[in-house]
Amino acid sequence: MTEMIDYGRFADRLAPPRPRWDLLREFQEEWGYAVPADATPWAKWSEDEHRTYIRRLKGEWTGEEDDEFEGVDFSLPVPRALDEWWELPFNSFTHSPRLYWTNPVYPPTVRPDPSGYGVAEGLPKDNPYVGPDDDLRVCVFKAEYEYCNEWGYLAAEAGQDDPRVLVTISDDEWVPQARSISEFFVQLAVQRLPASLGWCLRLDAGDFPGVPVGERLDAAYRPMGFEPWRELGVHSLAYGGPDVIVHHDRENACDFPVTISARTRDALAAAARTLGWEWDDAQVEPPAE
């Protein structure tokens, strides 16, 4: 990690066109992630599940077996980007899922689920995402660790190569999370990896007396170009600077609404000085194994 990377320019890197998964691979490498030599990747499904799924697609399922895919609409295609992500040889989620605290849902299941499963309903008729005569369901492909939040794409956009992603913020409300599935997985990596793989400080609003930390961040750093991260009540913005990423929850819904992650200890100290935080070695978390 010798060459400095300015994450204040990350929004430029997000902008298309570019090969779909290059940015995810680059970001993981920048924070020192490598697939463990002994890792067994999380399988998309077992051989039996795949066999049953193909039978359902072909209309050969008799209904005599237990239905392993309750809530799946077999008339909806799975976006190509989602299947590509599962097969990436450098996929940090499938090889190191403990870094992520999320669960995959594959094949995607619809909300509202006719079986009654899931925390969310579909879209209300008066929503800004699809027309009144379009499919109002959402196809969930990812969930928070305890299924308090779910991420999905619109059933009306299931035929797209890389559709946009929505997230639940209540049982009946969906809001934008990412402009595409591939961008969502980059954003998820930005949310999860730096605090484990880098040098980290977790702080609260009381650590920044005087000028509010949000104003300090707006003055010192640039947004990374993502939609606000919405999970467990937070409304978190990601800011970038030299070798540093700062996540700020403007709802103060978590124990530490400010998380500063840096690729080096010196970059962490520089960010602390920039934001006016009084340095305390006892609060510094070194990179985790």
Side-chain angles (χ1 to χ4, degrees):
M1 295 188 184
T2 55
E3 181 182 352
M4 188 276 289
I5 296 172
D6 185 0
Y7 289 101
R9 302 184 64 182
F10 198 80
D12 299 332
R13 297 170 66 187
L14 268 180
R18 58 174 297 139
R20 180 140 60 208
W21 300 111
D22 277 5
L23 185 54
L24 177 60
R25 176 184 51 77
E26 291 168 6
F27 182 80
Q28 292 180 166
E29 292 174 352
E30 289 163 7
W31 289 85
Y33 178 79
V35 173
D38 59 349
T40 300
W42 189 319
K44 187 161 60 174
W45 44 27
S46 69
E47 290 184 10
D48 286 344
E49 288 172 331
H50 190 209
R51 191 177 301 113
T52 301
Y53 181 77
I54 296 300
R55 291 178 64 201
R56 290 294 301 266
L57 282 178
K58 293 180 177 180
E60 297 174 354
W61 185 73
T62 64
E64 296 173 356
E65 307 96 334
D66 290 335
D67 189 353
E68 299 172 77
F69 299 115
E70 209 166 9
V72 176
D73 184 340
F74 289 86
S75 70
L76 295 174
V78 176
R80 182 185 302 174
L82 184 57
D83 280 328
E84 286 177 355
W85 174 80
W86 270 103
E87 304 303 327
L88 292 175
F90 52 82
N91 187 326
S92 55
F93 172 81
T94 57
H95 290 89
S96 305
R98 290 177 182 268
L99 290 170
Y100 278 88
W101 292 87
T102 59
N103 293 305
V105 180
Y106 195 91
T109 60
V110 296
R111 301 291 182 267
D113 186 328
S115 71
Y117 183 77
V119 299
E121 297 296 324
L123 298 172
K125 290 185 177 181
D126 55 340
N127 73 86
Y129 310 116
V130 296
D133 297 325
D134 292 330
D135 197 328
L136 297 177
R137 296 174 298 169
V138 179
C139 301
V140 169
F141 66 90
K142 196 79 166 172
E144 184 271 334
Y145 187 67
E146 294 185 345
Y147 292 85
C148 296
N149 298 86
E150 296 179 326
W151 292 274
Y153 53 87
L154 298 166
E157 298 179 356
Q160 294 184 14
D161 187 53
D162 197 4
R164 55 186 164 167
V165 175
L166 305 180
V167 60
T168 56
I169 59 172
S170 66
D171 289 355
D172 60 357
E173 186 175 1
W174 296 84
V175 297
Q177 182 63 91
R179 287 172 285 264
S180 65
I181 287 175
S182 55
E183 182 178 296
F184 167 79
F185 283 120
V186 174
Q187 186 178 18
L188 183 61
V190 169
Q191 285 293 130
R192 298 300 201 251
L193 298 185
S196 292
L197 304 180
W199 292 84
C200 182
L201 282 168
R202 303 177 198 271
L203 307 170
D204 61 33
D207 289 310
F208 300 93
V211 179
V213 66
E215 294 182 22
R216 301 185 193 206
L217 285 166
D218 289 338
Y221 296 112
R222 293 176 61 188
M224 292 182 68
F226 297 110
E227 293 280 354
W229 185 254
R230 309 296 295 273
E231 180 183 7
L232 299 176
V234 308
H235 188 281
S236 181
L237 305 181
Y239 292 85
D243 276 341
V244 69
I245 292 173
V246 185
H247 295 288
H248 178 216
D249 170 26
R250 299 213 167 186
E251 293 293 330
N252 289 319
C254 55
D255 293 337
F256 299 102
V258 179
T259 301
I260 307 173
S261 303
R263 297 173 70 234
T264 67
R265 194 177 188 281
D266 287 345
L268 186 71
R273 288 194 300 271
T274 297
L275 293 176
W277 181 71
E278 187 174 343
W279 186 262
D280 181 355
D281 274 324
Q283 292 184 246
V284 176
E285 300 175 26
E289 291 291 337

